[in-house]
C-alpha cells in the first residue's frame, strides 16, 4: 500500500463522515458522496463538543484522481455497496485494496469473490448517526447542526475472510489507530462479523417492526420471542463453526440490549425515515445458512417475513 497516496471513503453518511473526520487529521482522504458539498465535516464528539474538521469532499461521479488511491473504504449501506463500487471501479487500478464497513454478512463474501484486489472487512462498534435521520440525543437549537454525531467510541477489527492480507490489515489498523481510533488487525474477522450479525439480527428487526427502543426487548412481552431467536441463531452459528462467546449467546446479546437500552437501532431509524433497511444483509445470511445446513428455523423465517425490506 503506497504510504502517501490518498484514501477514498465512499459514502458520506454517518460512518463515512466519522472515519473521514478522524482520518483527515493524519491521512490524505477524499470523502466521496452522492453530491459535492463544502470541504468540512461538522462532527459532534461523544463528549458533546462540536468540531469543524477540514476534509476534501467530492461527488463520486465527478472524482477523477489524479492519483490512484492506496485504499477505498466502502461506507455505504450494504444494499448500496455494489452500485457505488461499480460507479467507481473503472477509475480504479484493479488491485486497489478495499475496506468494507458494512454490518451483516452479505457484501463481504460477494466482494471477496468478485473484486480483483484485496478485500478487508471491518467489524466496528463505533456508533454514529446523522442528526436529521435519527434522535436519541436532543440537539441544541442555538448551535449549528452537526453533519454527524459520534454517539459512542468503539473499536474496529480488521481482517480478510481468507487471512491472505494480514500485513495490509495490520497497516490499515495502524493508520486508524494513529488517527486516534481504537483499531486492530485480527485473524478471525469472519467470526466477529457473524457475532455482530447475531446481535443485529435480534435487535434491529424487532425494534424496527415494533418501533421500540432497544431496551424494550428485555421486557416480559418480548422475552419468549427473543429467546426463540437466540436459540435458532445459536444453532446456525454452531453449523457455521462460529464459536459461542464465553458467556453464551443469551448473555452476550442480552448485555448489548441492556447497554444500548435507550438507543434507536439503525433499522428503526431507517424505517422511521422511509429508507430501505439492511434486512437482507443481516437476516438473509441466516436464512441462507439455514437452507444450506438443512435447518428448519421458524422464528427467523417469521422475522424475515415481517421485517421491512
Ligand atoms: N452508523 C454506525 O454507527 C454504524 C456502526 C457499525 C456499522 N455500520 C454499518 O456501516 C454502513 C454505513 O452505515 P451508516 O450508518 O453510515 O449509513 P448512512 O448514514 O445511511 O450512510 C450511507 C451513505 O452512503 C451513501 N451512498 C449510498 N449510495 C451511494 C452511491 N452510489 N454513491 C455514493 N454514496 C452513496 C448515502 O448517500 P445519501 O446520503 O444520499 O443517502 C449515505 O450518505 C452500514 O452497513 C452499517 O450497518 C454503521
Amino acid at each position: 500500500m503506497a504510504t502517501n497516496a490518498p484514501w477514498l471513503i465512499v459514502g458520506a453518511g454517518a460512518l463515512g463522515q466519522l472515519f473521514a473526520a478522524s482520518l483527515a487529521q493524519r491521512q490524505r482522504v477524499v470523502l466521496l458522496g452522492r453530491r459535492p458539498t463544502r470541504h468540512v465535516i461538522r462532527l459532534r464528539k461523544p463528549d458533546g463538543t462540536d468540531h469543524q474538521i477540514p476534509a476534501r469532499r467530492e461527488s463520486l461521479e465527478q472524482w477523477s484522481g489524479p492519483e490512484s488511491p492506496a485504499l477505498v473504504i466502502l461506507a455505504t449501506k450494504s444494499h448500496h455497496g455494489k452500485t457505488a463500487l461499480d460507479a467507481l471501479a473503472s477509475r480504479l487500478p484493479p488491485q486497489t485494496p478495499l475496506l468494507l464497513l458494512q454490518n451483516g454478512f452479505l457484501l463481504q463474501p460477494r466482494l471477496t469473490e468478485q473484486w480483483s484486489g484485496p478485500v478487508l472487512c471491518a467489524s466496528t462498534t463505533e456508533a454514529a448517526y446523522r442528526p436529521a435521520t435519527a434522535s436519541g440525543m436532543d440537539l441544541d437549537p442555538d448551535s449549528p447542526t452537526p453533519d454527524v454525531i459520534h454517539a459512542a467510541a468503539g473499536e474496529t477489527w480488521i481482517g480478510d475472510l481468507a487471512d491472505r492480507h494480514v500485513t495490509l490489515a495490520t497497516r490499515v489498523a495502524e493508520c486508524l489507530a494513529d488517527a486516534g481510533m481504537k483499531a486492530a488487525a485480527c485473524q478471525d474477522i469472519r467470526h466477529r462479523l457473524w457475532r455482530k450479525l447475531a446481535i443485529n439480527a435480534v435487535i434491529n428487526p424487532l425494534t424496527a417492526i415494533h418501533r421500540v427502543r432497544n431496551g424494550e426487548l428485555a421486557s416480559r412481552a418480548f422475552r419468549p420471542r427473543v429467546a426463540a431467536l437466540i436459540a435458532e441463531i445459536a444453532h446456525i452459528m454452531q453449523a457455521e463453526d462460529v464459536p459461542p462467546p464465553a458467556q453464551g449467546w443469551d448473555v452476550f446479546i442480552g448485555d448489548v440490549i441492556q447497554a444500548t437500552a435507550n438507543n434507536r437501532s439503525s433499522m428503526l431509524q431507517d424505517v422511521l425515515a422511509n429508507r430501505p433497511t439492511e434486512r437482507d444483509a443481516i437476516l438473509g445470511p441466516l436464512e441462507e445458512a439455514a437452507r444450506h445446513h438443512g435447518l428448519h428455523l421458524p422464528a427467523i423465517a417469521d422475522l424475515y417475513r415481517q421485517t421491512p425490506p
Side-chain angles (χ1 to χ4, degrees), residues 12-15 34-35 75-77 102-103 126-128 130 278:
L15 215 52
R34 288 207 235 233
R35 53 201 84 80
T76 66
K77 289 278 173 69
Q102 288 67 32
N103 276 327
E126 298 286 0
R130 291 182 284 172
E278 293 195 299

Side-chain angles (χ1 to χ4, degrees), residues 162-216:
D163 277 341
R164 285 189 295 127
H165 304 293
V166 178
T167 310
L168 178 66
T170 305
R171 178 81 193 103
V172 170
E174 282 169 359
C175 290
L176 294 182
D178 278 353
M181 301 176 82
K182 201 168 172 198
C186 65
Q187 290 185 270
D188 60 352
I189 194 68
R190 183 177 168 276
H191 294 164
R192 288 178 185 277
L193 288 166
W194 271 113
R195 282 188 182 180
K196 180 124 192 266
L197 180 150
I199 295 167
N200 286 332
V202 174
I203 296 178
N204 272 288
L206 285 178
T207 52
I209 294 164
H210 297 281
R211 301 189 176 213
V212 294
R213 290 183 192 250
N214 295 2
E216 269 301 300

Side-chain angles (χ1 to χ4, degrees), residues 4-201:
N4 59 355
W7 289 12
L8 300 185
I9 299 179
V10 177
L15 215 52
Q17 291 186 97
L18 174 66
F19 272 62
S22 307
L23 284 163
Q25 299 167 73
R26 281 293 178 140
Q27 170 78 40
R28 291 175 63 208
V29 289
V30 186
L31 179 59
L32 300 180
R34 288 207 235 233
R35 53 201 84 80
T37 178
R38 63 197 183 287
H39 293 290
V40 72
I41 297 169
R42 291 176 304 193
L43 168 74
R44 181 164 296 172
K45 291 193 173 176
D47 63 6
T49 56
D50 284 341
H51 303 259
Q52 302 225 10
I53 317 272
R56 202 172 136 202
R57 310 181 63 143
E58 294 187 19
S59 86
L60 178 125
E61 293 303 332
Q62 284 162 11
W63 177 80
S64 62
E67 289 166 89
S68 299
L71 179 74
V72 172
I73 301 180
L74 202 54
T76 66
K77 289 278 173 69
S78 178
H79 41 266
H80 290 138
K82 184 72 169 59
T83 313
L85 186 59
D86 283 349
L88 187 65
S90 64
R91 290 169 275 161
L92 296 174
Q95 286 305 308
T96 307
L98 300 182
L99 173 63
L100 311 181
L101 299 186
Q102 288 67 32
N103 276 327
F105 196 70
L106 188 64
L107 197 62
Q108 295 88 341
R110 283 190 185 165
L111 286 183
T112 296
E113 205 180 297
Q114 293 166 6
W115 184 248
S116 44
V119 176
L120 301 178
C121 307
S123 176
T124 185
T125 55
E126 298 286 0
Y129 62 90
R130 291 182 284 172
T133 61
S135 72
M137 286 171 84
D138 291 327
L139 292 170
D140 175 355
D142 295 328
S143 69
T145 308
D147 298 311
V148 56
I149 294 180
H150 189 190
E155 54 186 1
T156 302
W157 294 93
I158 297 174
D160 70 286
L161 294 180
D163 277 341
R164 285 189 295 127
H165 304 293
V166 178
T167 310
L168 178 66
T170 305
R171 178 81 193 103
V172 170
E174 282 169 359
C175 290
L176 294 182
D178 278 353
M181 301 176 82
K182 201 168 172 198
C186 65
Q187 290 185 270
D188 60 352
I189 194 68
R190 183 177 168 276
H191 294 164
R192 288 178 185 277
L193 288 166
W194 271 113
R195 282 188 182 180
K196 180 124 192 266
L197 180 150
I199 295 167
N200 286 332

Side-chain angles (χ1 to χ4, degrees), residues 225-237 249-250 297 300:
R225 193 160 187 200
V226 167
L229 283 170
I230 293 177
E232 291 189 1
I233 288 170
H235 221 98
I236 295 180
M237 295 296 156
W249 290 107
D250 284 298
L297 301 173
I300 290 172

